[in-house]
Amino acid sequence: MGPHNAFYKDEPIRELDLALTRQGFKLIYPQDANDLLKLIEHNPRICGIIFDWDEYSLELCSEIHLLNEYLPLYAFINTHSSFDVSLNEMRMALWFFEYALDAAEEIAQRIRQYTDEYIDTITPPLTKALFTYVKEGKYTFCTPGHMAGTAFQKSPVGSLFYDFFGGNALKADVSISVTELGSLLDHTGPHLEAEEYIARTFGAEQSYMVTNGTSTSNKIVGMYAAPAGSTVLIDRNCHKSLTHLLMMSNIVPIWLKPTRNALGILGGIPKREFTRESIALKVAQTENASWPVHAVITNSTYDGLLYNTQYIKETLDVPSIHFDSAWVPYTNFHPIYQGKSGMSGDRMPGKVFYETQSTHKLLAAFSQASMIHIKGDYDEQTFNEAYMMHTTTSPNYPIVASIETAAAMLRGNPGRRLINRSVERALHFRREVQRLREESEGWFFDIWQPDGIDEAECWPIQPGDEAWHGFTHADRDHMYLDPIKVTILTPGMSELGDMAAEGIPAALVAKFLDQRGVVVEKTGPYNLLFLFSIGIDKTKAMSLLRGLTEFKRAFDLNLRVKNMLPDLYAEDPDFYRNMRIQTLAAGIHNMIRQHDLPRLMLQAFDTLPEMKMTPHQAFQQQVTGNVETVSIDQLIGRVSANMILPYPPGVPLVMPGEMITEASRAVLDFLLMLCTIGEHYPGFETDIHGATLTEEGRYLVRVLKEQPSI
Ligand SMILES: *Cc1c(COP(=O)(O)O)cnc(C)c1O
């Protein structure tokens, strides 16, 4: 680090610069220590720091250490430099060189060696083995047939494909028969090392890498934990992969019923549902049910609420608890999540805990990247049968390596900073929206959060605080809002479900943002969810903020739909020809008011449809052909063949084998209301999984035949 004023220092550094450049290094000269720290923070490719020991010494070292404790530091000293003895104890990657002429070549070589060691330290085992294998460029005579990309280059369109993805992506796609890489299915070699590395990183006793998403991780865990004929407790707010588990495995589900507030935000499963009394009652009321052997809980909920997992682990009297944490693979890396994840806390005698995470959803990994973490005793060999049952025998190594690299990225101080930055960015965004709201003339967007958000924490949903969270019977110290899941509220409905005279349905805002390249994670009636994952940088946060303010401006100017939402206009130019945005907003808002959506939604999720048979039995009926298609309004009194899940809110309303009866009529009313909005306003059709929308705008569903054919 320079510039130095003493000539005896300048010349050796100039020589070193040349020698290092010849080695292929690029050198940057920051102005001062502050400048240096900023550089390290913003440039992860920096692989070493050279500095003058007399000028900077230990203090600078500890500051660099806080940013990246693995980064090699090279201190230049002269014969009079003083040393601090405690240095050795700090276990820093710190090397000393003397200012001397004609030593540059040797120093550069040593720096090359230490840099290689640094790269070796931060690269996890399987990824390292894969990089090495690809660099060696061996000829293989096995799969995949593209042979490190060669086959693509023998065809015109194949060459386009090759050029688009690049050589290494294809070279790294190697066959499972490459023995030096070990085996994903047998857990050997670098694959085993990767699993152990991941387990250490995530605070698990054992971890598995899964290449077909958490959809598959969930099935693996369920297949192992719940034998045929057994009873399992399942969060009604479960991902469809768990419904599919129930269709595959002949088990009896007992539902844990989450609360929700009027905004449609899920409050999670209340404490009472976890008690022995509540479970005993449901077991008694369910045909063929016995005491559950396994439980599945979605943590966090889709709206970003995390549980006090310690309470669940202690209270829930089942030997095996699975936290589906697809959305929160980062909870082990920031203190605010302590006690709120599947792997937090110690093992408990007689219980085993599973946590499944979609590495790809909020960390940096390829799609399909997923992990299973385990704490507690289980039978590894049997578990592995369930694992292999769902795993391809030709895993994609780039996906596997990306799972491991995502873990490596979270290690140490760089990992902590990465997660901390997304928390801070979300906090900053939350404050900005609040500020704009205070400064704004007339209406502005609100954020679903408590009033004072001074520091980073997961905000508790406490009883008595209904004013902000809208949950009327919240349990104390049970659920917490993750700051990086940001729910923006549009005008029209209060947290407690009171409908205002005027309102702006969130779907309009979502469509507006979408046209500006900002994709919303989830849209409720009057709320929009945004995820501040580690890939969200300042520019993305800014463009969201700008999108919101521009929406307000355009809305207040009452622009034509044609100009403000051209994509929507294109859906039905006749319908939207002269319509202005405020008319459209008022039209949908009034429709929601007329149907009293908040009440309807609460009721729809309050009384579950009746389980006529297990999802497994219903699927068996379906595959034997005892199934027919009916219009959705004929659903009452019929056994649904599939899961019906309107999106939003993205929570199953009807499970396979269930029947809507008079008691649960609200379920159908809610579905029909969603359909009505789409019928009246082109472009606002609800996506209902488990139903098909015909050309004429009718929703069709599959039900079991009333008279099964023999
Ligand atoms: C997305 C999701 C899954 C499935 O994860 P994939 O990695 O997409 O297969 C499972 N559970 C929950 C709660 C999810 O949100």
Side-chain angles (χ1 to χ4, degrees):
M1 183 197 278
H4 302 289
N5 36 27
F7 177 74
Y8 81 93
K9 291 180 177 178
D10 277 357
E11 195 49 31
I13 291 295
R14 199 170 3 252
E15 286 182 359
L16 182 61
D17 185 320
L18 285 172
L20 285 171
T21 309
R22 275 196 298 275
Q23 287 265 1
F25 288 103
K26 185 178 165 197
L27 282 92
I28 312 169
Y29 291 88
Q31 304 283 326
D32 51 31
N34 246 339
D35 204 19
L36 168 74
L37 294 170
K38 287 251 154 58
L39 256 174
I40 299 174
E41 219 179 322
H42 294 286
N43 192 337
R45 288 190 168 79
I46 288 175
C47 59
I49 310 294
I50 301 169
F51 66 100
D52 182 272
W53 181 252
D54 293 337
E55 211 171 323
Y56 295 103
S57 83
L58 258 183
E59 198 182 315
L60 179 68
C61 293
S62 11
E63 283 184 68
I64 296 174
H65 196 81
L66 284 179
L67 294 176
N68 181 356
E69 67 270 49
Y70 313 110
L71 199 60
L73 309 174
Y74 309 109
F76 271 76
I77 53 174
N78 62 52
T79 39
H80 310 294
S81 299
S82 62
F83 281 96
D84 198 325
V85 196
S86 71
L87 248 190
N88 293 329
E89 296 153 24
M90 299 207 48
R91 298 174 61 216
M92 286 182 183
L94 176 60
W95 285 276
F96 291 94
F97 296 114
E98 273 193 54
Y99 288 107
L101 288 177
D102 297 327
E105 274 313 323
E106 195 195 318
I107 296 176
Q109 257 163 37
R110 300 256 301 276
I111 290 183
R112 160 57 60 202
Q113 180 198 330
Y114 298 139
T115 308
D116 290 347
E117 284 169 16
Y118 165 65
I119 291 171
D120 192 67
T121 305
I122 62 170
T123 314
L126 172 71
T127 305
K128 194 184 299 173
L130 183 62
F131 286 179
T132 308
Y133 179 82
V134 169
K135 278 184 202 140
E136 283 170 358
K138 287 189 185 161
Y139 291 106
T140 64
F141 288 88
C142 35
T143 62
H146 65 70
M147 295 280 160
T150 318
F152 285 112
Q153 290 171 287
K154 299 194 185 302
S155 132
V157 60
S159 300
L160 293 176
F161 184 91
Y162 181 93
D163 293 345
F164 182 82
F165 282 103
N168 276 342
L170 295 160
K171 285 183 193 140
D173 181 22
V174 297
S175 159
I176 194 164
S177 4
V178 173
T179 48
E180 31 302 38
L181 297 176
S183 157
L184 178 72
L185 294 155
D186 301 334
H187 314 284
T188 53
H191 277 90
L192 176 63
E193 286 175 59
E195 287 172 353
E196 290 168 348
Y197 178 95
I198 289 169
R200 281 198 301 279
T201 309
F202 282 80
E205 289 172 9
Q206 302 257 19
S207 293
Y208 292 83
M209 301 184 285
V210 178
T211 55
N212 193 34
T214 301
S215 303
T216 289
S217 299
N218 286 350
K219 288 174 198 143
I220 292 169
V221 172
M223 215 79 185
Y224 168 77
S230 67
T231 300
V232 291
L233 285 169
I234 298 200
D235 194 336
R236 183 73 181 187
N237 164 33
C238 67
H239 184 255
K240 57 166 92 168
S241 55
L242 290 157
T243 310
H244 286 139
L245 168 75
L246 297 174
M247 291 164 85
M248 292 163 74
S249 234
N250 191 11
I251 46 186
V252 181
I254 287 187
W255 303 106
L256 295 166
K257 213 169 69 182
T259 57
R260 45 182 46 246
N261 69 8
L263 294 169
I265 294 172
L266 281 157
I269 304 158
K271 277 184 173 176
R272 61 172 184 277
E273 291 272 301
F274 295 107
T275 60
R276 274 197 71 95
E277 297 71 44
S278 159
I279 297 166
L281 186 66
K282 290 185 198 177
V283 169
Q285 288 168 349
T286 310
E287 206 180 329
N288 296 326
S290 47
W291 193 261
V293 296
H294 180 63
V296 191
I297 292 138
T298 315
N299 184 46
S300 77
T301 67
Y302 288 89
D303 303 288
L305 294 180
L306 291 155
Y307 289 91
N308 169 353
T309 48
Q310 191 66 17
Y311 170 84
I312 297 176
K313 290 175 180 182
E314 286 168 7
T315 311
L316 199 51
D317 191 9
V318 295
S320 160
I321 304 177
H322 169 194
F323 294 94
D324 179 357
S325 295
W327 284 106
V328 287
Y330 49 81
T331 45
N332 197 38
F333 308 96
H334 199 296
I336 61 171
Y337 301 114
Q338 220 165 30
K340 302 177 184 71
S341 84
M343 286 301 109
S344 32
D346 297 323
R347 57 155 59 202
M348 285 181 197
K351 290 190 183 182
V352 54
F353 306 123
Y354 302 90
E355 181 172 36
T356 51
Q357 300 172 335
S358 291
T359 321
H360 67 94
K361 275 186 181 163
L362 273 99
L363 298 176
F366 286 127
S367 289
Q368 302 187 10
S370 174
M371 297 179 189
I372 303 172
H373 305 299
I374 307 179
K375 198 173 263 181
D377 294 322
Y378 70 107
D379 184 326
E380 275 184 49
Q381 284 182 23
T382 309
F383 187 88
N384 202 44
E385 288 302 319
Y387 177 87
M388 290 193 293
M389 198 179 292
H390 294 276
T391 307
T392 168
T393 49
S394 315
N396 180 291
Y397 281 25
I399 295 179
V400 183
S402 84
I403 300 175
E404 191 200 36
T405 296
M409 285 173 66
L410 293 169
R411 287 205 148 198
N413 294 336
R416 247 189 302 283
R417 273 198 303 131
L418 204 57
I419 299 303
N420 194 45
R421 218 175 321 162
S422 63
V423 172
E424 289 299 325
R425 187 145 288 142
L427 280 180
H428 182 75
F429 178 83
R430 288 169 176 275
R431 292 193 196 105
E432 281 298 284
V433 174
Q434 247 175 0
R435 186 181 59 79
L436 287 171
R437 183 174 162 83
E438 280 155 23
E439 290 172 3
S440 169
E441 282 183 28
W443 72 278
F444 196 66
F445 300 96
D446 203 354
I447 292 204
W448 190 64
Q449 64 188 17
D451 286 336
I453 50 154
D454 303 328
E455 52 191 291
E457 62 173 314
C458 287
W459 299 293
I461 307 290
Q462 300 290 35
D465 267 351
E466 288 85 359
W468 82 262
H469 57 64
F471 290 102
T472 42
H473 298 286
D475 290 313
R476 187 162 297 283
D477 302 335
H478 185 48
M479 311 262 352
Y480 303 82
L481 172 60
D482 182 347
I484 76 156
K485 309 281 169 70
V486 180
T487 296
I488 290 188
L489 306 175
T490 61
M493 191 198 287
S494 80
E495 280 81 356
L496 293 168
D498 303 316
M499 299 286 299
E502 290 175 15
I504 305 175
L508 295 180
V509 184
K511 286 190 191 305
F512 181 79
L513 292 175
D514 192 58
Q515 283 188 182
R516 305 177 48 89
V518 177
V519 180
V520 180
E521 174 58 35
K522 192 184 83 151
T523 309
Y526 295 91
N527 54 71
L528 306 138
L529 177 69
F530 300 90
L531 308 179
F532 276 67
S533 58
I534 57 175
I536 300 292
D537 53 20
K538 216 178 212 139
T539 52
K540 287 187 184 137
M542 282 299 291
S543 56
L544 170 55
L545 216 49
R546 193 164 315 124
L548 294 175
T549 51
E550 278 174 21
F551 179 91
K552 175 184 161 55
R553 200 180 54 85
F555 185 85
D556 289 350
L557 288 172
N558 199 13
L559 297 187
R560 283 179 198 280
V561 171
K562 181 179 178 182
N563 298 324
M564 193 170 160
L565 300 169
D567 291 352
L568 178 67
Y569 171 81
E571 297 249 353
D572 194 337
D574 283 341
F575 183 82
Y576 289 115
R577 184 155 318 273
N578 291 313
M579 196 185 285
R580 289 181 180 272
I581 188 73
Q582 292 182 9
T583 315
L584 175 60
I588 301 181
H589 179 70
N590 286 335
M591 194 169 260
I592 292 174
R593 270 182 71 175
Q594 273 161 21
H595 287 88
D596 198 357
L597 175 128
R599 189 189 46 83
L600 203 55
M601 190 153 66
L602 281 173
Q603 286 176 351
F605 290 96
D606 198 47
T607 310
L608 301 183
E610 216 175 291
M611 184 165 85
K612 288 301 196 190
M613 59 185 80
T614 65
H616 179 78
Q617 288 160 343
F619 186 61
Q620 293 309 309
Q621 290 287 316
Q622 182 169 183
V623 291
T624 41
N626 288 332
V627 64
E628 60 188 352
T629 303
V630 298
S631 168
I632 201 163
D633 52 317
Q634 289 163 9
L635 206 47
I636 287 202
R638 303 299 301 267
V639 177
S640 180
N642 294 318
M643 174 171 72
I644 301 178
L645 180 151
Y647 197 95
V651 178
L653 273 175
V654 186
M655 290 288 177
E658 284 184 348
M659 178 192 275
I660 299 179
T661 58
E662 280 305 323
S664 49
R665 195 184 178 95
V667 173
L668 183 66
D669 291 342
F670 178 63
L671 276 170
L672 292 178
M673 189 216 62
L674 294 176
C675 303
T676 309
I677 295 178
E679 275 164 26
H680 283 79
Y681 291 95
F684 289 90
E685 293 80 8
T686 305
D687 185 13
I688 303 180
H689 297 199
T692 10
L693 184 59
T694 64
E695 291 276 319
E696 304 82 52
R698 284 171 66 218
Y699 286 91
L700 303 178
V701 290
R702 305 259 283 170
V703 295
L704 299 188
K705 285 182 184 164
E706 280 171 329
Q707 300 288 321
S709 46
I710 303 160

